[in-house]
Amino acid sequence: MATARLDYVAPWWTYWLHNFPHFNFFFQSIDNTFKPEEASYQQSLIFLASVGAVGLGLSMLVLAVFLVCLCCCRKDIDEEAKRPNTCCLTWSAAITGLIICSAVGVGFYGNSETNDGVYQLTYSLSNANHTLGGINNLVAGTLGNVQTGLKQHLERLDEIFAAKSEFLNSLRFMQMMVNNVIHEMMALPDINKANVNLAAIADQTALVEYYRWLTYLLLLILDLVICLAMCLGMAKQSRWLLITIMAFVVLSMILSWASLGAGTATAVGTSDFCVSPDKYIVNQTKDFLTADVAHYYLFCSPNLPNPFQQSLTICQRSLTTMQIQIQGLLQITVPIFPTAERDLLGIQRLLNSTEFSLHQLTALLDCRGLHKDYLDALMGVCYDGVEGLLYLSLFSLLAGCALSAMLCAIFRVWTLMGSRDKEYDDIDEEDPFNPQARRMSYNPRRSNIHSFCSYTSSLGSQASIQPPLPSASNASPPEYMNQSMLFGGSPRYENAPLIGRGSPPPSYSPSMRTTYLSMTDAQIRHFGTDFQA
């Protein structure tokens, strides 16, 4: 038994999870033995699943505190600050995105590992189910041949050999061998129930695993889409996009914490089974399998005797004895009773087919085949399966925390967008450097202002009022015109000078400036304050 135990050793993480505290709803510690049919054990798994609810509650509490602090600190923001410092926000969003992407990578690996482990479990269950089905078919076929075929032939031979008592003694001896075969076949354990249970477990497990794998896959894709949409929303600063992102972030955060609770409870329950699987299987099969048969297949040790060896040996010897009897009757009775030849040959054919089925049954009842399926199932569940659940739990934890931080970043971006709109509202609409003022197509106050260009054209014929001025080409342009040439590539020209507005002077052509400076007092009185907005 000790040698067989080396074939399967529970991994260290199953012992770590197995030692998690198990409490019922009344916070009473219970035994951590795997007993899924007991209500107290079910309560302990539900208690572990509540870890996700605790994490979700803490996330909501952190978000509430952050919103309160954000609203309180928003009143203390310096109103004169044109561009708040967003370096911390940018780095926070970048780190949050990296954490989510890393968590998604861990989630993909864990989802694949869990799927591989469950697939190995269902494949092993299918193989074991096929083996058990073959055993059932061989036992049923052997019993049918012996109980129906052999008895019918023996009854007809008993009528034919009625006058020969020595032949009747041989028939009675063969009838006794037939009864021995029937008795030993009936003594074999009834594994029909085990066969049905394995098939149902394999089908249900495959169905649940498919939906589990698909759910995690959609959740992982959703987190990736949220990261990409978050980058786009912060770059474009679109309110409707941020609102959509917030809705999906809240949904993904709830699903992440829920998956953490479900994954933790499943991993702990599976680890409780993996620590001592033999004990649970023996208890579940005690209604239709004896303890020695269960241990024979669970351990498959050379030190353990085959519980079917005696029955199989008796059947084999009985069939061999009947073969010898049939050979003797064929040689002796056929010359005397020719009509007995057909029944004797029929019995011989049935004995040959029964012996062949018995050899197949012996091979299938050997522990090595079923024990290999048992070990493969344990390896799939306790190694790949539980390991994948641990990675999925890590993904859920990282994703839940990172999504909470992302919500905080979105709220901060929202407040910055609000402060930016407030700054635009505080700008003077009459400021010529305001982009909104430049887009105004009509202003009632300026509807009657004369165009400075039209004024210069009217002064073209009044050369007498233009005093000689130094050459404009020799005069150096003002500093603001040099800046305009430096940053814009060409000076900006406007139709009317802005005098007395308190705004920075615009840039205009040297000829327009020279003409304006050459105006006399009379001309200024003539046009009045038209050039003063």
Side-chain angles (χ1 to χ4, degrees):
M1 184 179 299
T3 304
R5 293 298 294 176
L6 295 177
D7 294 337
Y8 168 75
V9 177
W12 63 267
W13 53 80
T14 58
Y15 287 101
W16 177 63
L17 293 171
H18 178 66
N19 292 326
F20 274 23
H22 292 61
F23 296 100
N24 57 14
F25 291 160
F26 302 100
F27 296 96
Q28 298 175 351
S29 179
I30 64 171
D31 186 18
N32 56 2
T33 304
F34 185 70
K35 298 177 181 178
E37 66 279 356
E38 294 186 1
S40 59
Y41 186 81
Q42 296 174 3
Q43 292 177 5
S44 67
L45 295 183
I46 296 175
F47 186 85
L48 290 172
S50 63
V51 172
V54 174
L56 180 60
L58 291 177
S59 297
M60 293 300 181
L61 181 62
V62 171
L63 289 175
V65 173
F66 179 81
L67 286 176
V68 171
C69 295
L70 192 63
C71 294
C72 295
C73 296
R74 186 177 180 183
K75 299 178 181 179
D76 300 332
I77 297 178
D78 187 8
E79 295 181 357
E80 296 179 358
K82 295 294 182 180
R83 187 181 298 273
N85 186 11
T86 59
C87 180
C88 181
L89 176 61
T90 303
W91 278 105
S92 300
I95 294 174
T96 301
L98 289 177
I99 292 176
I100 292 180
C101 292
S102 302
V104 168
V106 172
F108 272 113
Y109 177 76
N111 198 30
S112 177
E113 284 292 303
T114 304
N115 184 257
D116 291 341
V118 176
Y119 174 78
Q120 189 171 355
L121 170 64
T122 55
Y123 183 77
S124 300
L125 289 177
S126 299
N127 285 341
N129 182 69
H130 179 73
T131 301
L132 295 177
I135 292 174
N136 288 333
N137 294 333
L138 289 174
V139 171
T142 302
L143 286 176
N145 290 336
V146 174
Q147 289 178 340
T148 304
L150 287 180
K151 283 190 173 182
Q152 289 179 356
H153 288 297
L154 290 176
E155 289 176 357
R156 284 196 293 266
L157 290 176
D158 188 72
E159 295 177 357
I160 295 173
F161 299 152
K164 296 289 184 179
S165 58
E166 61 273 15
F167 296 157
L168 292 177
N169 292 332
S170 299
L171 293 179
R172 293 189 181 93
F173 180 76
M174 291 179 61
Q175 184 66 45
M176 184 177 63
M177 296 294 103
V178 169
N179 292 333
N180 288 338
V181 172
I182 295 174
H183 179 267
E184 297 301 329
M185 286 294 174
M186 295 295 293
L188 293 176
D190 185 11
I191 55 179
N192 286 321
K193 188 175 181 180
N195 184 27
V196 173
N197 288 339
L198 286 181
I201 292 173
D203 294 339
Q204 293 177 1
T205 303
L207 182 62
V208 172
E209 169 58 21
Y210 171 75
Y211 287 109
R212 185 212 61 82
W213 173 84
L214 183 61
T215 302
Y216 270 102
L217 182 63
L218 294 177
L219 181 59
L220 293 169
I221 295 175
L222 177 62
D223 288 344
L224 286 179
V225 172
I226 287 175
C227 285
L228 296 177
M230 179 64 182
C231 296
L232 181 62
M234 293 186 65
K236 300 180 73 68
Q237 294 190 356
S238 173
R239 290 185 180 275
W240 70 266
L241 186 56
L242 288 179
I243 292 175
T244 305
I245 293 173
M246 280 192 288
F248 281 102
V249 167
V250 171
L251 174 63
S252 180
M253 184 177 65
I254 294 174
L255 293 177
S256 297
W257 287 116
S259 65
L260 175 63
T264 302
T266 305
V268 172
T270 307
S271 298
D272 293 340
F273 168 77
C274 292
V275 168
S276 56
D278 306 327
K279 181 179 179 181
Y280 175 75
I281 293 177
V282 170
N283 292 332
Q284 291 297 312
T285 58
K286 62 183 179 180
D287 294 336
F288 53 91
L289 289 180
T290 58
D292 58 340
V293 174
H295 284 86
Y296 173 71
Y297 286 110
L298 292 178
F299 300 105
C300 195
S301 172
N303 300 325
L304 289 176
N306 187 345
F308 309 112
Q309 187 62 47
Q310 183 177 359
S311 298
L312 295 174
T313 302
I314 293 175
C315 290
Q316 183 64 45
R317 290 176 179 175
S318 300
L319 293 175
T320 303
T321 302
M322 285 190 288
Q323 286 278 16
I324 296 173
Q325 292 292 326
I326 291 297
Q327 290 290 339
L329 290 175
L330 281 172
Q331 296 176 359
I332 299 174
T333 61
V334 170
I336 303 174
F337 304 100
T339 56
E341 182 178 7
R342 188 182 64 176
D343 291 316
L344 292 174
L345 292 177
I347 292 175
Q348 191 176 41
R349 286 193 297 269
L350 287 176
L351 291 176
N352 291 334
S353 63
T354 303
E355 190 172 1
F356 179 75
S357 298
L358 188 63
H359 287 302
Q360 289 182 320
L361 182 61
T362 303
L364 290 178
L365 288 174
D366 188 79
C367 67
R368 287 173 292 182
L370 288 175
H371 183 68
K372 181 181 180 302
D373 295 332
Y374 172 66
L375 290 181
D376 290 342
L378 288 180
M379 293 295 180
V381 172
C382 302
Y383 280 82
D384 294 340
V386 178
E387 182 184 6
L389 288 175
L390 287 176
Y391 280 110
L392 288 176
S393 299
L394 178 61
F395 151 73
S396 300
L397 179 62
L398 292 176
C401 296
L403 289 172
S404 302
M406 181 177 286
L407 273 179
C408 296
I410 292 175
F411 293 148
R412 180 59 178 161
V413 171
W414 189 276
T415 57
L416 292 179
M417 291 173 60
S419 61
R420 183 195 64 176
D421 295 340
K422 183 177 180 181
E423 290 172 3
Y424 276 119
D425 294 339
D426 294 339
I427 295 177
D428 185 7
E429 294 182 357
E430 296 182 0
D431 190 348
F433 293 94
N434 183 7
Q436 296 179 358
R438 293 185 179 182
R439 290 193 295 267
M440 295 175 63
S441 60
Y442 176 76
N443 191 342
R445 295 181 56 190
R446 300 181 184 180
S447 59
N448 297 324
I449 295 179
H450 296 284
S451 173
F452 184 75
C453 295
S454 63
Y455 165 72
T456 56
S457 64
S458 65
L459 292 178
S461 61
Q462 302 178 7
S464 60
I465 65 176
Q466 298 181 5
L469 295 173
S471 176
S473 61
N474 297 329
S476 60
E479 180 180 358
Y480 62 84
M481 295 180 65
N482 291 333
Q483 293 176 357
S484 177
M485 290 290 293
L486 177 62
F487 294 101
S490 62
R492 296 170 294 160
Y493 303 108
E494 299 186 5
N495 290 336
L498 303 174
I499 304 299
R501 290 192 179 187
S503 300
S507 59
Y508 44 85
S509 65
S511 60
M512 294 171 62
R513 182 174 180 272
T514 302
T515 305
Y516 177 73
L517 293 176
S518 65
M519 292 176 60
T520 62
D521 294 339
Q523 292 168 341
I524 292 176
R525 287 193 300 271
H526 172 72
F527 287 96
T529 60
D530 288 346
F531 293 111
Q532 298 178 2

